[in-house]
Amino acid sequence: AAVDAEPDEVIGSVPERNRSVTVEQAAVNAVMAGCRPEYFPIVVTALGAMLDPAFNANAALTSTGGAATCIVVSGPLAAEIGMNAQGNVLGAGNRANATIGRAVRLVARNVLGAIAGKFDASSFGHPGKYTLCFAEDEPPAPWEPLRVQLGYAHEDTTVTIMATEGPRQVANHLSEVPEEVLRTFVSAMRVPATHCTGKGAQGIVVMGPEHAMAVRQAGWTQREVREFLCRESRISPEELAAYGVHCEVGNQYNMVAEADGRMPTIATPDDIVLVTAGGPGPGWSAYIPA
């Protein structure tokens, strides 16, 4: 009853597994996750995104990489249902954050068969596979909330998902110089041990209050931030080789240096999901790689 849909309505399917997800199945798993009814529209929207062919759920749920389905909610509905966007935003203690993400994971397991040792081949996985869901803390103007960056209206609520590794905290407590703050993010983005480094992937940049304020008050736009991070996170084959990482060529990835001698970690500036969240402190943020 919390959504405008019939129980047997199909939210989406994974053709490679010959499995579909209905609204009723989603509701059963949301109840098991501990969701309140008012959370359910977010759950259904997140599942719709996960089952969109563009997300490639079969690969995301099957791969040895062990990705979680990271869920970012932007808009007024997040506050209405009590989602956390501030202190301990990626941690425990908020029922909506915890159970929405858990419901999506239970659907993946119970309906789509993403069970370890069967259709889930994760070599390690990470705690975000239990739940990894949070809300945006909307930035002051002239910066725009994530949903507006993505082309939606202020009054809309959007759900953005990405198959991700675990979050990396980003610490810079002593600088308010935009380039220095952003280079700290770059250092987390171009780590050779991270799978997507040099492969032209995506990532979620979660800017905490102090870092976002320093960059915003210096006059940087969100577009300029994404462009800087995309450009500066490029890496050379020699840098990867120095840490024992070889470039894949003609396989799943084609890692060939471009004219500047480097390869992209992030495919384009638009492949960075830039969101503001987190609580006050001396200068903390987070990066969540695809």
Side-chain angles (χ1 to χ4, degrees), residues 234-255:
R234 294 171 65 82
I235 194 166
S236 70
E238 291 77 17
E239 289 174 281
L240 289 175
Y243 293 93
V245 178
H246 299 282
C247 293
E248 295 184 43
V249 179
N251 197 356
Q252 185 175 358
Y253 302 96
N254 194 27
M255 300 174 66

PDB file of all heavy atoms in Angstrom, residues 234-255:
ATOM      1  N   ARG A 234      44.344  10.792 -13.290  1.00  0.00           N
ATOM      2  CA  ARG A 234      44.955   9.993 -14.351  1.00  0.00           C
ATOM      3  C   ARG A 234      46.310   9.452 -13.878  1.00  0.00           C
ATOM      4  O   ARG A 234      46.993  10.079 -13.075  1.00  0.00           O
ATOM      5  CB  ARG A 234      45.122  10.830 -15.620  1.00  0.00           C
ATOM      6  CG  ARG A 234      43.793  11.247 -16.242  1.00  0.00           C
ATOM      7  CD  ARG A 234      43.969  12.254 -17.361  1.00  0.00           C
ATOM      8  NE  ARG A 234      44.673  11.704 -18.496  1.00  0.00           N
ATOM      9  CZ  ARG A 234      44.120  10.968 -19.456  1.00  0.00           C
ATOM     10  NH1 ARG A 234      42.819  10.706 -19.408  1.00  0.00           N
ATOM     11  NH2 ARG A 234      44.824  10.493 -20.456  1.00  0.00           N
ATOM     12  N   ILE A 235      46.693   8.285 -14.394  1.00  0.00           N
ATOM     13  CA  ILE A 235      47.896   7.627 -13.898  1.00  0.00           C
ATOM     14  C   ILE A 235      48.636   6.978 -15.057  1.00  0.00           C
ATOM     15  O   ILE A 235      48.030   6.562 -16.057  1.00  0.00           O
ATOM     16  CB  ILE A 235      47.525   6.587 -12.819  1.00  0.00           C
ATOM     17  CG1 ILE A 235      48.758   6.140 -12.043  1.00  0.00           C
ATOM     18  CG2 ILE A 235      46.761   5.407 -13.418  1.00  0.00           C
ATOM     19  CD1 ILE A 235      48.407   5.387 -10.758  1.00  0.00           C
ATOM     20  N   SER A 236      49.960   6.884 -14.952  1.00  0.00           N
ATOM     21  CA  SER A 236      50.773   6.320 -16.036  1.00  0.00           C
ATOM     22  C   SER A 236      50.998   4.823 -15.817  1.00  0.00           C
ATOM     23  O   SER A 236      50.959   4.339 -14.681  1.00  0.00           O
ATOM     24  CB  SER A 236      52.126   7.027 -16.109  1.00  0.00           C
ATOM     25  OG  SER A 236      52.933   6.683 -14.982  1.00  0.00           O
ATOM     26  N   PRO A 237      51.262   4.089 -16.904  1.00  0.00           N
ATOM     27  CA  PRO A 237      51.599   2.671 -16.761  1.00  0.00           C
ATOM     28  C   PRO A 237      52.826   2.459 -15.874  1.00  0.00           C
ATOM     29  O   PRO A 237      52.905   1.483 -15.132  1.00  0.00           O
ATOM     30  CB  PRO A 237      51.861   2.220 -18.201  1.00  0.00           C
ATOM     31  CG  PRO A 237      51.080   3.177 -19.049  1.00  0.00           C
ATOM     32  CD  PRO A 237      51.154   4.482 -18.335  1.00  0.00           C
ATOM     33  N   GLU A 238      53.768   3.407 -15.938  1.00  0.00           N
ATOM     34  CA  GLU A 238      54.984   3.283 -15.130  1.00  0.00           C
ATOM     35  C   GLU A 238      54.673   3.387 -13.634  1.00  0.00           C
ATOM     36  O   GLU A 238      55.266   2.672 -12.815  1.00  0.00           O
ATOM     37  CB  GLU A 238      55.998   4.364 -15.532  1.00  0.00           C
ATOM     38  CG  GLU A 238      56.594   4.186 -16.920  1.00  0.00           C
ATOM     39  CD  GLU A 238      55.640   4.610 -18.043  1.00  0.00           C
ATOM     40  OE1 GLU A 238      54.646   5.333 -17.752  1.00  0.00           O
ATOM     41  OE2 GLU A 238      55.877   4.226 -19.199  1.00  0.00           O
ATOM     42  N   GLU A 239      53.738   4.279 -13.282  1.00  0.00           N
ATOM     43  CA  GLU A 239      53.365   4.399 -11.872  1.00  0.00           C
ATOM     44  C   GLU A 239      52.699   3.116 -11.377  1.00  0.00           C
ATOM     45  O   GLU A 239      52.962   2.663 -10.252  1.00  0.00           O
ATOM     46  CB  GLU A 239      52.431   5.586 -11.684  1.00  0.00           C
ATOM     47  CG  GLU A 239      53.096   6.940 -11.850  1.00  0.00           C
ATOM     48  CD  GLU A 239      52.091   8.072 -11.784  1.00  0.00           C
ATOM     49  OE1 GLU A 239      51.399   8.310 -12.792  1.00  0.00           O
ATOM     50  OE2 GLU A 239      52.001   8.718 -10.718  1.00  0.00           O
ATOM     51  N   LEU A 240      51.840   2.538 -12.190  1.00  0.00           N
ATOM     52  CA  LEU A 240      51.205   1.280 -11.797  1.00  0.00           C
ATOM     53  C   LEU A 240      52.246   0.165 -11.680  1.00  0.00           C
ATOM     54  O   LEU A 240      52.236  -0.615 -10.717  1.00  0.00           O
ATOM     55  CB  LEU A 240      50.134   0.892 -12.820  1.00  0.00           C
ATOM     56  CG  LEU A 240      48.862   1.738 -12.837  1.00  0.00           C
ATOM     57  CD1 LEU A 240      47.964   1.307 -13.992  1.00  0.00           C
ATOM     58  CD2 LEU A 240      48.107   1.622 -11.523  1.00  0.00           C
ATOM     59  N   ALA A 241      53.151   0.099 -12.660  1.00  0.00           N
ATOM     60  CA  ALA A 241      54.164  -0.961 -12.661  1.00  0.00           C
ATOM     61  C   ALA A 241      55.072  -0.875 -11.442  1.00  0.00           C
ATOM     62  O   ALA A 241      55.541  -1.901 -10.929  1.00  0.00           O
ATOM     63  CB  ALA A 241      54.989  -0.888 -13.940  1.00  0.00           C
ATOM     64  N   ALA A 242      55.303   0.351 -10.948  1.00  0.00           N
ATOM     65  CA  ALA A 242      56.159   0.525  -9.769  1.00  0.00           C
ATOM     66  C   ALA A 242      55.565  -0.159  -8.542  1.00  0.00           C
ATOM     67  O   ALA A 242      56.293  -0.464  -7.591  1.00  0.00           O
ATOM     68  CB  ALA A 242      56.374   2.011  -9.496  1.00  0.00           C
ATOM     69  N   TYR A 243      54.264  -0.397  -8.566  1.00  0.00           N
ATOM     70  CA  TYR A 243      53.595  -1.075  -7.455  1.00  0.00           C
ATOM     71  C   TYR A 243      53.139  -2.478  -7.843  1.00  0.00           C
ATOM     72  O   TYR A 243      52.277  -3.069  -7.187  1.00  0.00           O
ATOM     73  CB  TYR A 243      52.410  -0.234  -6.974  1.00  0.00           C
ATOM     74  CG  TYR A 243      52.859   1.054  -6.336  1.00  0.00           C
ATOM     75  CD1 TYR A 243      52.958   2.227  -7.081  1.00  0.00           C
ATOM     76  CD2 TYR A 243      53.232   1.090  -4.986  1.00  0.00           C
ATOM     77  CE1 TYR A 243      53.404   3.407  -6.499  1.00  0.00           C
ATOM     78  CE2 TYR A 243      53.674   2.268  -4.408  1.00  0.00           C
ATOM     79  CZ  TYR A 243      53.757   3.426  -5.168  1.00  0.00           C
ATOM     80  OH  TYR A 243      54.208   4.597  -4.586  1.00  0.00           O
ATOM     81  N   GLY A 244      53.712  -3.002  -8.930  1.00  0.00           N
ATOM     82  CA  GLY A 244      53.446  -4.382  -9.314  1.00  0.00           C
ATOM     83  C   GLY A 244      52.161  -4.604 -10.067  1.00  0.00           C
ATOM     84  O   GLY A 244      51.731  -5.747 -10.244  1.00  0.00           O
ATOM     85  N   VAL A 245      51.530  -3.537 -10.538  1.00  0.00           N
ATOM     86  CA  VAL A 245      50.266  -3.660 -11.256  1.00  0.00           C
ATOM     87  C   VAL A 245      50.523  -3.534 -12.754  1.00  0.00           C
ATOM     88  O   VAL A 245      51.058  -2.523 -13.217  1.00  0.00           O
ATOM     89  CB  VAL A 245      49.264  -2.572 -10.807  1.00  0.00           C
ATOM     90  CG1 VAL A 245      47.967  -2.679 -11.595  1.00  0.00           C
ATOM     91  CG2 VAL A 245      48.985  -2.711  -9.308  1.00  0.00           C
ATOM     92  N   HIS A 246      50.161  -4.554 -13.518  1.00  0.00           N
ATOM     93  CA  HIS A 246      50.362  -4.547 -14.961  1.00  0.00           C
ATOM     94  C   HIS A 246      49.097  -4.092 -15.679  1.00  0.00           C
ATOM     95  O   HIS A 246      47.977  -4.324 -15.217  1.00  0.00           O
ATOM     96  CB  HIS A 246      50.766  -5.932 -15.457  1.00  0.00           C
ATOM     97  CG  HIS A 246      52.048  -6.424 -14.860  1.00  0.00           C
ATOM     98  ND1 HIS A 246      53.286  -5.989 -15.283  1.00  0.00           N
ATOM     99  CD2 HIS A 246      52.280  -7.291 -13.842  1.00  0.00           C
ATOM    100  CE1 HIS A 246      54.231  -6.581 -14.575  1.00  0.00           C
ATOM    101  NE2 HIS A 246      53.648  -7.378 -13.682  1.00  0.00           N
ATOM    102  N   CYS A 247      49.277  -3.457 -16.809  1.00  0.00           N
ATOM    103  CA  CYS A 247      48.145  -2.968 -17.591  1.00  0.00           C
ATOM    104  C   CYS A 247      47.522  -4.110 -18.385  1.00  0.00           C
ATOM    105  O   CYS A 247      48.232  -4.917 -18.986  1.00  0.00           O
ATOM    106  CB  CYS A 247      48.583  -1.857 -18.540  1.00  0.00           C
ATOM    107  SG  CYS A 247      49.108  -0.353 -17.700  1.00  0.00           S
ATOM    108  N   GLU A 248      46.207  -4.153 -18.388  1.00  0.00           N
ATOM    109  CA  GLU A 248      45.484  -5.117 -19.204  1.00  0.00           C
ATOM    110  C   GLU A 248      45.313  -4.549 -20.605  1.00  0.00           C
ATOM    111  O   GLU A 248      44.899  -3.407 -20.767  1.00  0.00           O
ATOM    112  CB  GLU A 248      44.106  -5.412 -18.614  1.00  0.00           C
ATOM    113  CG  GLU A 248      44.141  -6.100 -17.270  1.00  0.00           C
ATOM    114  CD  GLU A 248      42.750  -6.455 -16.796  1.00  0.00           C
ATOM    115  OE1 GLU A 248      41.948  -6.946 -17.617  1.00  0.00           O
ATOM    116  OE2 GLU A 248      42.453  -6.243 -15.609  1.00  0.00           O
ATOM    117  N   VAL A 249      45.632  -5.349 -21.610  1.00  0.00           N
ATOM    118  CA  VAL A 249      45.477  -4.922 -22.999  1.00  0.00           C
ATOM    119  C   VAL A 249      44.779  -6.029 -23.766  1.00  0.00           C
ATOM    120  O   VAL A 249      45.186  -7.189 -23.713  1.00  0.00           O
ATOM    121  CB  VAL A 249      46.837  -4.593 -23.650  1.00  0.00           C
ATOM    122  CG1 VAL A 249      46.631  -4.183 -25.104  1.00  0.00           C
ATOM    123  CG2 VAL A 249      47.556  -3.490 -22.882  1.00  0.00           C
ATOM    124  N   GLY A 250      43.693  -5.666 -24.478  1.00  0.00           N
ATOM    125  CA  GLY A 250      42.980  -6.637 -25.291  1.00  0.00           C
ATOM    126  C   GLY A 250      42.214  -7.655 -24.497  1.00  0.00           C
ATOM    127  O   GLY A 250      41.813  -8.698 -25.012  1.00  0.00           O
ATOM    128  N   ASN A 251      41.991  -7.374 -23.217  1.00  0.00           N
ATOM    129  CA  ASN A 251      41.226  -8.286 -22.365  1.00  0.00           C
ATOM    130  C   ASN A 251      39.937  -7.569 -21.982  1.00  0.00           C
ATOM    131  O   ASN A 251      39.327  -6.903 -22.805  1.00  0.00           O
ATOM    132  CB  ASN A 251      42.065  -8.660 -21.136  1.00  0.00           C
ATOM    133  CG  ASN A 251      41.536  -9.888 -20.417  1.00  0.00           C
ATOM    134  OD1 ASN A 251      40.510 -10.442 -20.776  1.00  0.00           O
ATOM    135  ND2 ASN A 251      42.245 -10.312 -19.387  1.00  0.00           N
ATOM    136  N   GLN A 252      39.519  -7.667 -20.732  1.00  0.00           N
ATOM    137  CA  GLN A 252      38.321  -6.953 -20.301  1.00  0.00           C
ATOM    138  C   GLN A 252      38.528  -5.443 -20.396  1.00  0.00           C
ATOM    139  O   GLN A 252      37.595  -4.683 -20.661  1.00  0.00           O
ATOM    140  CB  GLN A 252      37.966  -7.338 -18.867  1.00  0.00           C
ATOM    141  CG  GLN A 252      36.658  -6.715 -18.375  1.00  0.00           C
ATOM    142  CD  GLN A 252      36.262  -7.212 -17.000  1.00  0.00           C
ATOM    143  OE1 GLN A 252      36.939  -8.052 -16.427  1.00  0.00           O
ATOM    144  NE2 GLN A 252      35.178  -6.683 -16.474  1.00  0.00           N
ATOM    145  N   TYR A 253      39.754  -5.000 -20.168  1.00  0.00           N
ATOM    146  CA  TYR A 253      40.093  -3.583 -20.260  1.00  0.00           C
ATOM    147  C   TYR A 253      41.194  -3.408 -21.293  1.00  0.00           C
ATOM    148  O   TYR A 253      41.992  -4.304 -21.542  1.00  0.00           O
ATOM    149  CB  TYR A 253      40.564  -3.051 -18.902  1.00  0.00           C
ATOM    150  CG  TYR A 253      39.538  -3.235 -17.813  1.00  0.00           C
ATOM    151  CD1 TYR A 253      39.595  -4.340 -16.966  1.00  0.00           C
ATOM    152  CD2 TYR A 253      38.494  -2.339 -17.648  1.00  0.00           C
ATOM    153  CE1 TYR A 253      38.649  -4.529 -15.975  1.00  0.00           C
ATOM    154  CE2 TYR A 253      37.541  -2.512 -16.663  1.00  0.00           C
ATOM    155  CZ  TYR A 253      37.624  -3.610 -15.831  1.00  0.00           C
ATOM    156  OH  TYR A 253      36.684  -3.798 -14.867  1.00  0.00           O
ATOM    157  N   ASN A 254      41.250  -2.228 -21.873  1.00  0.00           N
ATOM    158  CA  ASN A 254      42.305  -1.902 -22.835  1.00  0.00           C
ATOM    159  C   ASN A 254      43.067  -0.706 -22.287  1.00  0.00           C
ATOM    160  O   ASN A 254      42.777   0.444 -22.605  1.00  0.00           O
ATOM    161  CB  ASN A 254      41.700  -1.588 -24.202  1.00  0.00           C
ATOM    162  CG  ASN A 254      42.752  -1.585 -25.295  1.00  0.00           C
ATOM    163  OD1 ASN A 254      43.774  -2.261 -25.171  1.00  0.00           O
ATOM    164  ND2 ASN A 254      42.525  -0.827 -26.336  1.00  0.00           N
ATOM    165  N   MET A 255      44.037  -0.988 -21.427  1.00  0.00           N
ATOM    166  CA  MET A 255      44.745   0.060 -20.693  1.00  0.00           C
ATOM    167  C   MET A 255      45.978   0.503 -21.472  1.00  0.00           C
ATOM    168  O   MET A 255      47.078  -0.029 -21.308  1.00  0.00           O
ATOM    169  CB  MET A 255      45.119  -0.446 -19.300  1.00  0.00           C
ATOM    170  CG  MET A 255      43.921  -0.846 -18.462  1.00  0.00           C
ATOM    171  SD  MET A 255      44.364  -1.612 -16.885  1.00  0.00           S
ATOM    172  CE  MET A 255      45.164  -0.242 -16.035  1.00  0.00           C
TER     173      MET A 255
END
